[in-house]
Amino acid sequence: MTAEEINFQGMALNTLGLLTTWRAEWEALYKKLLPDYTALQTALGQVDEKAQLRGGLGSAGYTQAKDLAEVKALDAAMTVLNGIKALYMDGEHPGLATLARHTRSSLDEMRGLPQVAALEELHKQALPLAAALAEELVTADDLLALHDATAAFKPLLGTPRQQTVAGSLLREDAVLHLGDARKALHRLDVRVPNLGGQLPDLVKEYFRLREIVDAGHGHGAALPGLPPKA
């Protein structure tokens, strides 16, 4: 969220906290305050839920999984690639020239979809040569391992984009819930003053907190604590 949205959230949470502290007193006097209090509580709860979900979309776990899958795919590729190089070296398969020029480093440097395409091409050209590759100690299990490792690696290449889209949607939801919180507060602003005769300290503190919109940035920090009831 933006700094302004974070500041608003912090102010709204403090205001909600004040109303919660005094709830027994004001609810006994003014039950019509309850729906807007509940609406504020629900809206801020939804904002917090979306923030937690968004925080769970971190890239550290994804990056580790992708790196491990890439290493596994390259490991499987090298067994097959060495067999391809051996066949090409014998001079009986000139069509393997392009594949035979590959090394672990060249495959690693490709990255992303070109890397996956090269691994898929290696498997594609190796399959019809399975019998000849078997003489180079490349087994059917080795070919299957290359196929499976590449298939497992490929879907991970799209994960960052998926995370970005999901995070954007969650942020939009959070902003909508902040809008609901604003509506609830505006309605409370109309009714809370009516408690001035019976609960003047509550009313005074309510509007003091409502003015704190630019108090600080980040996770609601720098907002004042709630004073005890008089």
Side-chain angles (χ1 to χ4, degrees), residues 89-223:
M89 183 175 61
D90 286 346
E92 297 179 4
H93 299 278
L96 298 178
T98 300
L99 281 180
R101 282 197 291 270
H102 278 307
T103 64
R104 175 80 178 227
S105 294
S106 70
L107 289 173
D108 183 60
E109 290 171 0
M110 284 182 170
R111 300 291 180 183
L113 291 177
Q115 184 184 52
V116 168
L119 295 175
E120 290 175 336
E121 183 64 20
L122 175 60
H123 180 262
K124 178 182 176 181
Q125 293 199 36
L127 276 181
L129 299 173
L133 285 169
E135 295 180 5
E136 304 293 345
L137 305 183
V138 179
T139 67
D141 286 342
D142 293 326
L143 294 175
L144 181 61
L146 171 59
H147 173 273
D148 290 350
T150 303
F153 173 47
K154 187 175 183 178
L156 293 177
L157 298 178
T159 301
R161 171 60 179 166
Q162 294 162 9
Q163 288 177 325
T164 299
V165 172
S168 178
L169 291 175
L170 287 172
R171 186 196 177 282
E172 289 178 8
D173 284 347
V175 171
L176 288 175
H177 291 305
L178 281 181
D180 293 337
R182 291 181 192 275
K183 292 176 184 177
L185 281 170
H186 289 156
R187 292 175 63 84
L188 287 166
D189 288 347
V190 174
R191 285 201 165 102
V192 167
N194 295 340
L195 289 166
Q198 294 95 336
L199 301 173
D201 290 339
L202 167 60
V203 175
K204 180 180 178 180
E205 184 61 17
Y206 175 88
F207 283 104
R208 187 185 74 83
L209 291 176
R210 283 289 282 123
E211 293 176 359
I212 302 173
V213 179
D214 297 315
H217 298 183
H219 308 298
L223 290 167

Side-chain angles (χ1 to χ4, degrees), residues 61-91:
Y62 151 74
T63 300
Q64 183 178 20
K66 174 181 174 293
D67 289 346
L68 290 174
E70 180 183 4
V71 169
K72 187 173 182 180
L74 291 176
D75 286 345
M78 291 315 298
T79 301
V80 178
L81 182 58
N82 286 337
I84 291 291
K85 287 177 177 290
L87 292 180
Y88 177 71
M89 183 175 61
D90 286 346

Side-chain angles (χ1 to χ4, degrees), residues 10-30:
M11 176 277 296
L13 285 169
N14 268 11
T15 303
L16 176 65
L18 175 70
L19 292 174
T20 300
T21 300
W22 285 80
R23 179 171 176 175
E25 286 83 355
W26 62 254
E27 189 172 3
L29 296 168
Y30 201 1

